[in-house]
Amino acid sequence: IATAYLVDERYDAAERESKLTIDESESVPLRRGEAMAVLAACELERNDAESAADRAQKSLDLMSRVGGQPFYFTLARLTLARALDSTGRESEAREALEVAFEELRLRAEAIASFADPEAFWQNIPVHRQTLELANQWLDLPRIEADQPKEVTP
């Protein structure tokens, strides 16, 4: 639920739900790590970059040990990069973004034989945001992601 609120930019609700999930998921570390990624993104939206960087890193550390959905790894890495940049830790921010971008680039390559890799970059906001930031910050060949395409059944 917290993720849906975050995507809908309802940060108060996303923060409330992610905190509730964190409190209730002590015995389910995978859910805890994912909820921490959502909470870190909310903290960054509230201009608490120090807390966001700390929580995003803790989320990544936990998910690296117990697993997590790729979306939450990307969310945590993007949040970490943006938060580090906001606190003046630019080289660390670039490193975090390089990891996030490379992970997504490899996933896009892996699906290229059976799915539209451009849709992978365009239709998932956290992927598009990572790509846009990578194009701004990193010395990479430019990759474009147009606006999301209309999906028809």
Side-chain angles (χ1 to χ4, degrees), residues 74-150:
T74 303
L75 177 64
R77 286 189 175 107
L78 178 61
T79 300
L80 178 61
R82 291 176 55 214
L84 290 170
D85 185 62
S86 292
T87 61
R89 295 155 61 189
E90 293 164 3
S91 65
E92 291 175 76
R94 288 187 196 297
E95 288 175 25
L97 184 61
E98 285 175 7
V99 171
F101 176 77
E102 183 62 14
E103 179 181 280
L104 288 176
R105 188 190 65 73
L106 291 173
R107 286 179 48 217
E109 283 181 10
I111 67 166
S113 65
F114 61 88
D116 179 10
E118 188 149 333
F120 174 85
W121 292 108
Q122 295 172 357
N123 296 343
I124 303 170
V126 72
H127 295 182
R128 189 172 54 251
Q129 293 164 3
T130 301
L131 176 61
E132 290 168 355
L133 208 53
N135 281 332
Q136 291 172 21
W137 290 8
L138 305 177
D139 186 24
L140 303 168
R142 189 155 182 91
I143 298 174
E144 297 295 332
D146 298 325
Q147 293 302 312
K149 294 180 181 175
E150 192 80 22

Side-chain angles (χ1 to χ4, degrees), residues 59-72:
S59 169
L60 287 166
D61 293 345
L62 180 57
M63 289 190 296
S64 292
R65 287 194 316 274
V66 301
Q69 294 180 28
F71 170 86
Y72 294 101

Side-chain angles (χ1 to χ4, degrees), residues 39-68:
L39 183 55
C42 291
E43 290 169 334
L44 185 60
E45 289 299 326
R46 300 217 183 291
N47 296 315
D48 187 356
E50 288 289 342
S51 292
D54 182 58
R55 194 170 317 271
Q57 186 60 61
K58 287 178 180 174
S59 169
L60 287 166
D61 293 345
L62 180 57
M63 289 190 296
S64 292
R65 287 194 316 274
V66 301

